[in-house]
Amino acid sequence: TISVQGQKDTGPKISTKKLLKVAGSGGDPLKAIEALPGVILGDDDDGEPAVRGSSPEDNYYQTDNMPVGYLFHLLGDSTYNPDTIEEFSLKAGAWDSQYSNAIGAVLDTQLRDPYHEDITTIVDLSFLRAGILVEGAVTENSAFYASWREGLLDWYIDTIDEPDEDISITQVPKYNDYQLKYQYRLSETSNFKIIALGARDTVELELGDEFEEANKEPGLVGQARYEGYYNTQGMTFDTLLDDGTTALFVLSHKEQDTKFKIGTLFDILATSNDVRLKGLFETPLSNGDQLRTGVELIQNTVKYDANGIFNPCNDDLEICDPASAGKNESIADKIIMKRARVFTAYDWMLSPFWEVSTGLNYINNDHLNEQAFEPRIESRYEVNPNWTYTAAVGQPSQSPRDFFSTLEDVGNPDLNMPTSQHFVTGFEYTLNDSISAKLETYYKTLDGLVISNPDYDEDTAPDELKYINGAKGHAYGLELLINKNLTDDWYGWMSVAYSKTKRKNSLTGESFTYSYDRPWVVNLVASYEWSKKTTLGFKWRYQSGSLLT
C-alpha cells in the first residue's frame, strides 16, 4: 500500500520548493535565503547569513537534529546537494524552546529519506562543480543514498594575480562535500537511520609588500592559508508509542578542524570533537493540547596548537589595534566543555481561534560554571478568516563564540554567556489560496557581548582580565512579505525590510551603528512555468550599502 500525504502551499511562508527555484541560486535553497526578509550575507556577496542585526557567528546550524560545522563554502555555495534537502527553515527570532545556543538565528535543515526504488545514479557536471548521487533500496525495508560533490575551479585555474592590490591567489578556493543517509523501517511506526555529512574548504594567498593593509600590519606579508572541514555522523531512532507520544533519540558526533596561517602573525590548528545524546518527545493530550519535552547532553573536546602574536580584537565594537602590537604566544592544550539542557513546551488551544505556546529551556554550562533559563511564549489569534495576529517573546543565550576567550592563559574562564531578548509581533493576511501577506516588527537586545578589556596591559596592568562581558546592542525593524502562490502558471514574492542595528561599549557608553546594519533590503522574486519541463525565473534585490567608516 502506498500512501501519499501533502498540503496546499498556502499562507505567507516561503516553502523550500520555492527556494529551490529562485533565479541565481543554482537550485540551492540555502543560497536563496538572502531573498527572505531580514537576511543579509556576511560580506554582501557570499558567506554565512547575518539575521536581524546579529553577527553570522551568532547563528546555530543543525541538520536532522544534529549540529553541523558550516552551511556555506568559501565561494558561497551551500554544503548540501540540493537533491537531498527535504525542508529548510530559518528561525529569525523568539524560536521554539527545542533550539539552543544561538542569539542570532537558527537554520534548521531536514534531509529527505531515501527512495525505496531501484538503485539509480545521477551525475552532475559543470565547469564549476562535479557531483554524483547514488540512491535506491537495499532490502524491502531499507534504502540509502550517497552524494559527493567537488569544486573544479582549481582544475583549470592555478593562480590569480591582482597586481593592483599585490595579492596572488596561489590556490583558488577548493571544496568538496558529501551526504549519506541509510533508513531501515523496523515497523510501520519505527525507523532507524544512519546519517553522515561533511565538507572541506581550502584557499591559499600570497600577500606582497604593497598590500594595502601591510602598511599598518607588516606581519601580514607572506603566505596566508585557510583549511577547514567538518564531519558529522549520527544515528537516529524514531517511534510512535502506545499513548500517541512521538519519540526521537539522536546520538551524534561532529569533528571540526580549522587550520589558519597568515604571514608571520599567526598559525593555528584547532580540532573540535562534539558528542551529543538527545531525546525529543511529543505527547498529544485528550483536550487537544500538546506537551513537548526534551533532554540533551553535550561534551565538546577541543585540542589546539597556536603560535604567533596575540592581540585581541573587538569585532563587535570594531576596535582593533594592530596585531603586531600584541604579545608573542605559543599555546597548546586540550579542554573539555560539557553542557546539559532540558526543555519543555506546552501548546495550548485556548479556543478554536487562539493558540498559545509556552516553553522553558534550562542550560547547565559546566565549562563556564553557569546556569541559564530561557523562557519563551508565542501566541496566534485568528481575528477573522483573513487576519491572524501573532506575537512571540524569547530570551536565548549562547556560549562565547571564540573559545580562546575562555582559556586560562589568554582569556577569561569566568566569562558569562551572552544573552538576548527577542520581541516579535505582527499580522498575517490571507486573501485567498493565491495571495497572502505578513507584516512583522521586531525588537532585539543583546547583552553581555564578549570584548577584550581595554584596561588590560601586559606591562602596566597584567592583573586585569583579558576578556570581559563589556558590550551590548539592540536591533529593531519592520518586515513586509507579500506571497503569491502558483496560479496562472506563475508564483513569486516581494519582501521589504527596514532595520537599524546599534552596538554600545558598556565601559565608555559610546554607541554606534553596527557593521552589519543595512537599513533597506528589498527583494522581488518570480517564477513562470513556461511548460511542464521549463520554468523561467527572475530575482531583483536592492540593499543599502554597508558603512564606509
Side-chain angles (χ1 to χ4, degrees), residues 81-83 122-126 129-133 148-150 152:
N81 184 332
D83 289 335
I122 299 175
V123 177
D124 178 18
L125 184 63
S126 71
R129 183 180 61 216
I132 184 171
L133 174 65
W148 173 270
R149 304 188 306 167
E150 183 165 339
L152 301 180

Side-chain angles (χ1 to χ4, degrees), residues 466-483:
K466 296 181 181 180
Y467 285 93
I468 57 175
N469 298 99
K472 60 177 60 178
H474 69 270
Y476 60 87
L478 183 68
E479 298 171 356
L480 172 65
L481 174 66
I482 301 177
N483 181 37

Side-chain angles (χ1 to χ4, degrees), residues 132-313:
I132 184 171
L133 174 65
V134 181
E135 178 175 19
V138 179
T139 65
E140 182 180 355
N141 296 318
S142 65
F144 83 103
Y145 60 71
S147 167
W148 173 270
R149 304 188 306 167
E150 183 165 339
L152 301 180
L153 196 62
D154 62 302
W155 283 34
Y156 47 90
I157 298 180
D158 293 328
T159 61
I160 300 177
D161 294 321
E162 299 182 17
D164 294 340
E165 300 180 9
D166 202 9
I167 299 176
S168 178
I169 303 177
T170 55
Q171 180 187 298
V172 298
K174 182 179 180 181
Y175 71 87
N176 58 61
D177 57 59
Y178 69 92
Q179 296 87 46
L180 170 68
K181 192 168 189 178
Y182 170 81
Q183 178 191 26
Y184 183 78
R185 297 174 179 170
L186 299 172
S187 67
E188 292 183 357
T189 58
S190 301
N191 291 278
F192 173 75
K193 300 173 186 178
I194 297 177
I195 304 162
L197 58 151
R200 180 184 294 269
D201 284 81
T202 305
V203 66
E204 191 172 299
L205 310 173
E206 191 72 31
L207 306 178
D209 295 331
E210 301 301 320
F211 177 56
E212 182 180 0
E213 297 296 323
N215 294 326
K216 59 180 180 180
E217 197 65 84
L220 290 173
V221 176
Q223 184 190 57
R225 177 179 174 82
Y226 167 82
E227 180 179 358
Y229 71 82
Y230 83 88
N231 296 293
T232 294
Q233 311 93 25
M235 297 182 295
T236 69
F237 172 72
D238 62 88
T239 187
L240 180 65
L241 304 180
D242 293 338
D243 64 350
T245 297
T246 300
L248 171 66
F249 301 93
V250 182
L251 175 63
S252 67
H253 167 255
K254 182 192 73 173
E255 178 190 14
Q256 187 163 358
D257 185 280
T258 301
K259 298 178 183 178
F260 180 64
K261 180 184 185 301
I262 181 164
T264 58
L265 285 182
F266 216 72
D267 189 350
I268 180 174
L269 168 62
T271 301
S272 168
N273 281 277
D274 183 295
V275 179
R276 302 189 180 209
L277 177 62
K278 180 189 296 186
L280 302 174
F281 307 91
E282 296 184 5
T283 303
L285 305 179
S286 57
N287 60 356
D289 297 344
Q290 181 173 247
L291 175 65
R292 295 179 288 118
T293 58
V295 61
E296 186 175 26
L297 303 176
I298 306 168
Q299 177 172 299
N300 190 11
T301 303
V302 180
K303 296 181 180 179
Y304 58 91
D305 188 346
N307 299 277
I309 301 175
F310 182 80
N311 191 25
C313 174

